[in-house]
Amino acid sequence: MSVIIIGGGQAASEAAMLLRQAKFDGAIAIISDEAHLPYSRPPLSKAYLAGETHVDSLLLRNAAAYETANVVVRLGERVERIDRVAKRVELRNGDPLAYEQLILATGGRPRRMSIAGAELENIFYLRSIGDVDRLRASFMPGRQVVIVGGGYIGLEVAAVAVKAGLQVVVLEGAPRVLARVTSPQMSAFYERFHKAKGVDIRTGIAVSGFRAAADGVSVGAVECGGDLVLPADFVIVGIGLLPNVELALDAGLVVDNGILVDEASRTSDADIFAIGDCAAHREHGFLGRKVRLESVPNVNEQARVVAAAICGLPLPALSPPWFWSDQYDLKLQMVGLSEGYDLLVTRGDPATNSFITFYLKDGRLIAADAVSRLSEFMAARKMVAGRLEVDPAALADEATPLKSLIGRAAA
Ligand code: FAD
């Protein structure tokens, strides 16, 4: 048996190691077009950007760990084609490699802006170590950075930048930040918090072009539609991710905003799996609908699933999706998807910067967003996983431990 994993991110690394843990004893090769061993991306917009952590600490595992696990990691090599009939992949240098089972862990790339001036220098995107290294040289106190996009990455970068003494403007097209992922109340909390720290957040802004600085090659200003033009020493764009699906498409696999996979993470070819940011669950085991998730917990779950599927073990059940984001000292943790809620209950006072917002639908808990409530978040995850029917008043009452509600609902 031999497994080839295309991609060198967290999904690839976890899948390889979990295959070994599940006693897979065939050959495993990871083919990555990056220069670094698989690393953790979340710190890129947090501690690594802030210069608080060294590049080595980003690595998920060192070279010795792959050697010990007998996992071959081929860095700086790109798979150009999958030949499903011959069951082999072709590398950029023309080398063909045979597989018995293939895992696509190709991740995604930043969605780029395609407006006038988008090709100017000093407009940065943030996905890789190299992206942050290039960006860091511009990160100097007093300089003005315009961040396009008020999602997680835009806001995390804003927090680091304002702490580093830069003048920070965040431009968001939607009427509020984090609009895609949370409720208006939570968005309002984050907007207030950033503004109090000195970040200039402007919502409902459609960026229409970039103007060159006096040197004619770097960005100097951002056109925001109408007469509004904001000066910028540099720009960071965080407007979402495009899944890397081209290899799968060329190979004739079914793709729909991600490589479509079943509950075993199998694509439309029984010998090809897809996991992580590039994959879309045809019907997510917990949500019961099609979804493509971009988060480390999803990567880890899908890696466990694919290892079990390849080794013929029972598939682990999927839990509700969850995610975290660190901004300043605030630790945001979110579980479930809050879309479609009909009741919102807040536990704790947002003014203390430590609270949980629960989302219910038809009396049942569907999601929760916790701000700096680490231990209660654990209980919230269990409650959302059980879709518990809970008394909203008890949820809001801080004197009632969340754990006791789990027992009560089960009784
Ligand atoms: P990727 O990490 O994108 O890895 C895919 C790899 O495949 C890349 O190395 C790519 O170069 C390579 N590749 C692609 N095509 C080929 C090919 N043809 N041949 C060879 N190699 C190829 N998630 C959280 O849960 N919490 C957070 O706080 C958080 N913060 C984040 C902050 C940032 C700045 C970013 C960018 C992401 C963050 N995420 C966070 C998301 C999380 O990091 C991703 O969900 C996760 O890294 C996805 O891993 P992956 O292996 O699926 O994809």
Side-chain angles (χ1 to χ4, degrees):
M1 289 284 280
S2 68
V3 169
I4 290 182
I5 306 176
I6 308 177
Q10 187 142 7
S13 180
E14 297 304 326
M17 292 302 167
L18 288 164
L19 275 168
R20 286 291 181 242
Q21 271 178 34
K23 307 275 181 266
F24 178 83
D25 61 3
I28 304 176
I30 292 177
I31 315 289
S32 168
D33 61 2
E34 289 206 59
H36 298 274
L37 285 170
Y39 55 90
S40 172
R41 292 189 198 276
L44 294 182
S45 49
K46 309 175 181 79
Y48 187 64
L49 179 62
E52 290 164 0
T53 186
H54 189 261
V55 65
D56 292 343
S57 68
L58 301 180
L59 298 187
L60 293 161
R61 298 171 171 89
N62 60 21
Y66 295 100
E67 250 173 61
T68 307
N70 194 17
V71 171
V72 174
V73 186
R74 296 178 60 159
L75 296 178
E77 302 218 40
R78 195 175 163 75
V79 174
E80 295 288 4
R81 206 173 88 84
I82 301 167
D83 182 340
R84 288 168 53 198
V85 178
K87 291 188 76 172
R88 60 184 197 192
V89 298
E90 285 164 21
L91 304 189
R92 186 163 32 202
N93 64 12
D95 270 2
L97 290 177
Y99 67 83
E100 275 159 88
Q101 275 157 326
L102 185 65
I103 302 175
L104 299 174
T106 49
R109 57 190 183 272
R111 186 186 295 277
R112 301 186 83 85
M113 301 208 68
S114 54
I115 53 175
E119 72 296 339
L120 288 166
E121 286 178 14
N122 283 355
I123 299 178
F124 299 99
Y125 294 82
L126 212 160
R127 182 78 190 167
S128 65
I129 289 175
D131 291 342
V132 181
D133 291 346
R134 275 186 292 279
L135 163 64
R136 271 243 210 81
S138 300
F139 241 65
M140 284 185 288
R143 300 190 89 198
Q144 166 124 331
V145 55
V146 173
I147 298 170
V148 182
Y152 294 122
I153 289 185
L155 293 184
E156 287 180 356
V157 170
V160 174
V162 83
K163 258 176 92 177
L166 285 88
Q167 305 291 318
V168 186
V169 183
V170 173
L171 303 177
E172 167 58 50
R176 58 187 175 93
V177 298
L178 299 174
R180 226 166 38 93
V181 293
T182 191
S183 59
Q185 285 80 347
M186 196 57 93
S187 297
F189 170 81
Y190 272 91
E191 261 179 61
R192 272 198 310 275
F193 200 92
H194 276 274
K195 283 181 178 167
K197 293 284 183 187
V199 177
D200 178 359
I201 294 191
R202 303 190 190 198
T203 53
I205 299 281
V207 173
S208 50
F210 298 111
R211 287 189 191 168
D215 66 5
V217 291
S218 320
V219 68
V222 181
E223 296 172 359
C224 302
D227 293 335
L228 184 60
V229 178
L230 295 172
D233 292 313
F234 66 107
V235 169
I236 300 173
V237 181
I239 55 167
L241 172 124
L242 293 177
N244 290 328
V245 296
E246 290 71 14
L247 269 182
L249 268 177
D250 290 348
L253 300 178
V254 180
V255 169
D256 179 8
N257 179 30
I259 306 162
L260 275 191
V261 295
D262 65 10
E263 67 286 354
S265 276
R266 211 174 237 118
T267 67
S268 48
D269 179 320
D271 294 320
I272 305 183
F273 299 79
I275 58 172
D277 286 11
C278 70
H281 301 254
R282 192 183 291 276
E283 193 181 322
H284 186 274
F286 178 80
L287 299 169
R289 68 164 172 81
K290 182 179 161 275
V291 69
R292 188 175 62 77
L293 300 165
E294 295 166 14
S295 72
V296 167
N298 175 62
V299 161
N300 291 339
E301 279 208 323
Q302 284 198 301
R304 274 201 297 278
V305 165
V306 83
I310 288 177
C311 295
L313 301 171
L315 299 180
L318 288 195
S319 46
W322 73 275
F323 195 83
W324 80 90
S325 172
D326 299 336
Q327 296 165 43
Y328 311 99
D329 291 332
L330 302 176
K331 182 111 195 145
L332 172 64
Q333 294 169 295
M334 314 168 98
V335 59
L337 299 185
S338 56
E339 64 196 13
Y341 67 90
D342 53 28
L343 183 66
L344 180 152
V345 176
T346 302
R347 179 183 179 91
D349 181 359
T352 64
N353 303 326
S354 165
F355 62 102
I356 305 192
T357 304
F358 291 101
Y359 305 92
L360 293 96
K361 190 175 182 195
D362 302 328
R364 292 189 176 274
L365 206 52
I366 58 165
D369 298 339
V371 177
S372 302
R373 289 266 171 143
L374 303 193
S375 60
E376 285 198 328
F377 182 70
M378 298 303 287
R381 276 183 65 188
K382 287 189 186 143
M383 294 167 78
V384 172
R387 292 190 179 87
L388 295 193
E389 211 172 343
V390 274
D391 171 14
L395 268 183
D397 175 17
E398 296 224 60
T400 308
L402 286 184
K403 280 185 193 152
S404 73
L405 296 180
I406 301 176
R408 226 182 277 174

